[in-house]
Amino acid sequence: MKRRKLSPARLGPRDVLHVGVAGLRSRPMRVVLSSLGIAIGIATMIAVVGISASSQAQLLRKLDALGTNMLVVTPGEEMFSGQDTKLPKAAPGMVGRVKGVEQVGATGDVEHSARRSEKVDEGETNGIAVKAARGKLLETLRGTMRSGSWLNDATGRYPAVVLGHITAQRLGITEPGQQVFIGGRHFTVTGILDPLPLAPEIERSALVGWDAAEEYLGFDGHPTSVYERSADGTVDDVRELLASTVNPQNPQGVAVTDPSAALQAKAATEGAFSTLLLGLGGIALLVGGVGVANTMIISVLERRHEIGLRRSLGATKGQIRVQFVAESLLLSGLGGLAGVALGAAATAVYASSGGMPWVVPPWAVGGGFGATLAIGTIAGLYPAARAARLSPTLALQAA
């Protein structure tokens, strides 16, 4: 009679999951501690990427609000002498006639200091500049008033001043109606500005009307900065025309800058300093993987009787390997899920505290969880192979 060759039973996905969960369920505290290293590594990586992405989204939102269509015209230097040039008095009007320009504002430096009172030494300027302002400067900068009102045709002719928000802090001015001392006379504060990210020089300035600056402060009428807003599609064309329009005889003596470039560069490079933290998160993840491998090796040593019994009942080496790799994957997967949740929660707390949008890139979640599964597989290979190599007889004897 011909003997029939017996074939081992196959483990389906449900069976593999069952034996994997059973192995972990018997040692819950060890599972928690082993998963903790994986969770910390993934949480660090998700939080670093999420915080960086949230900061970048905040910058981009700010750029959208401020616009990238503003250019600033300032005096350059003489090509041969290296001396500073002056913009023509008619520069703001000339810029306003360039095709595509929609709004124009200008400021001019005044050689006086702003002090809280005449009793303060004139040399103590606190970095505060006094500037004459004209045109639609506030609209061009897309600025807003924290309190009070902007200079108009009436207040621009009299000793009235609008303070940048940093200037107001340094002078101790908290509300309109108070006075500051400029050029030997008191100027009444009519308003205080909100922060201006595209014009930080205005934040540190005291702004008086163009006519008042000429009448009371000896201003020569030459603008030192001309701000313009143009249609989005014409920014490059306007940039090419500004220098030659403002000073046709010496366009090299005119500088044209884009103040939004700094914010754009910051948004583009946001996260560059997170590389180190990502590396630390990766190290924590590797340490967690070592912990998982160590746990699985100890599990193999402690479960020799179980392994020997299963082998004696017909389990193949491959099935033993699959069982221990499945346990390692489940162990890492639990840590990965906990880490993703912790990292997303940390990002949410940081974003809400800073008034930022909450952003966790899907690729970071997918990549982080995929890394945990890869580490779990690698960490379980050696313990699984070691378990599969155990002799059923010796394993049962060792028990």
Side-chain angles (χ1 to χ4, degrees):
M1 185 175 179
K2 193 174 181 179
R3 292 184 180 179
R4 288 168 47 184
K5 188 177 180 180
L6 297 177
S7 58
R10 294 184 179 180
L11 291 178
R14 185 175 180 180
D15 299 320
V16 173
L17 180 62
H18 177 73
V19 295
V21 171
L24 298 180
R25 192 183 298 166
S26 61
R27 299 166 179 82
M29 184 55 66
R30 185 180 296 172
V31 169
V32 171
L33 294 177
S34 298
S35 299
L36 187 59
I38 295 286
I40 291 174
I42 290 299
T44 302
M45 298 178 76
I46 294 295
V48 167
V49 174
I51 290 172
S52 176
S54 298
S55 300
Q56 187 178 46
Q58 174 76 349
L59 281 172
L60 292 175
R61 177 189 289 182
K62 187 182 293 185
L63 271 174
D64 288 339
L66 296 174
T68 57
N69 59 342
M70 187 176 81
L71 298 174
V72 183
V73 179
T74 54
E77 294 182 350
E78 289 285 354
M79 182 179 297
F80 300 106
S81 65
Q83 295 180 348
D84 293 337
T85 61
K86 282 189 175 183
L87 297 179
K89 293 182 179 181
M94 297 162 72
V95 170
R97 289 190 288 271
V98 175
K99 184 178 180 180
V101 173
E102 297 177 340
Q103 295 172 323
V104 179
T107 62
D109 291 341
V110 178
E111 295 182 358
H112 286 283
S113 61
R115 293 173 284 162
R116 188 66 179 84
S117 70
E118 65 274 16
K119 296 180 180 179
V120 178
D121 188 89
E122 190 172 356
E124 296 181 8
T125 62
N126 287 322
I128 298 171
V130 179
K131 295 179 180 291
R134 69 178 298 182
K136 298 180 179 180
L137 180 64
L138 188 64
E139 296 177 28
T140 305
L141 297 175
R142 294 184 181 174
T144 54
M145 302 298 301
R146 174 168 294 179
S147 60
S149 59
W150 179 247
L151 299 168
N152 53 38
D153 291 339
T155 56
R157 298 176 180 273
Y158 297 99
V161 61
V162 171
L163 304 179
H165 83 284
I166 293 179
T167 296
Q169 292 173 3
R170 292 178 178 175
L171 292 177
I173 302 296
T174 57
E175 59 185 10
Q178 298 177 282
Q179 291 188 325
V180 295
F181 197 71
I182 304 174
R185 68 168 52 239
H186 288 93
F187 280 66
T188 302
V189 176
T190 62
I192 299 173
L193 292 169
D194 278 323
L196 293 167
L198 292 186
E201 67 279 3
I202 302 297
E203 297 177 344
R204 296 167 174 80
S205 300
L207 304 167
V208 300
W210 203 269
D211 294 335
E214 291 180 329
E215 180 175 352
Y216 301 113
L217 302 176
F219 175 52
D220 62 5
H222 287 276
T224 49
S225 296
V226 179
Y227 304 85
E228 67 83 26
R229 289 268 184 189
S230 51
D232 290 332
T234 63
V235 175
D236 292 335
D237 294 334
V238 170
R239 187 198 302 269
E240 294 179 1
L241 295 173
L242 283 177
S244 57
T245 299
V246 171
N247 194 343
Q249 285 133 7
N250 184 25
Q252 293 82 8
V254 178
V256 179
T257 56
D258 178 3
S260 68
L263 282 179
Q264 294 180 56
K266 186 177 180 181
T269 58
E270 187 68 39
F273 294 104
S274 65
T275 304
L276 177 61
L277 294 178
L278 279 175
L280 293 176
I283 293 172
L285 189 58
L286 289 176
V287 171
V290 172
V292 170
N294 185 54
T295 299
M296 296 308 300
I297 291 173
I298 294 174
S299 180
V300 169
L301 295 175
E302 291 179 346
R303 294 160 64 187
R304 286 184 177 183
H305 180 69
E306 174 194 333
I307 297 168
L309 185 60
R310 288 200 60 204
R311 289 295 311 279
S312 65
L313 293 175
T316 64
K317 292 182 178 181
Q319 290 172 347
I320 296 297
R321 282 194 293 265
V322 168
Q323 174 187 350
F324 281 88
V325 169
E327 288 186 21
S328 180
L329 277 172
L330 287 171
L331 192 58
S332 299
L334 289 173
L337 289 175
V340 169
L342 286 173
T347 302
V349 171
Y350 179 85
S352 61
S353 64
M356 302 177 184
W358 177 55
V359 180
V360 177
W363 64 264
V365 176
F369 191 69
T372 64
L373 296 182
I375 286 178
T377 302
I378 296 171
L381 287 177
Y382 174 71
R386 182 169 180 172
R389 287 199 302 265
L390 285 176
S391 169
T393 305
L394 295 177
L396 289 171
Q397 287 177 352

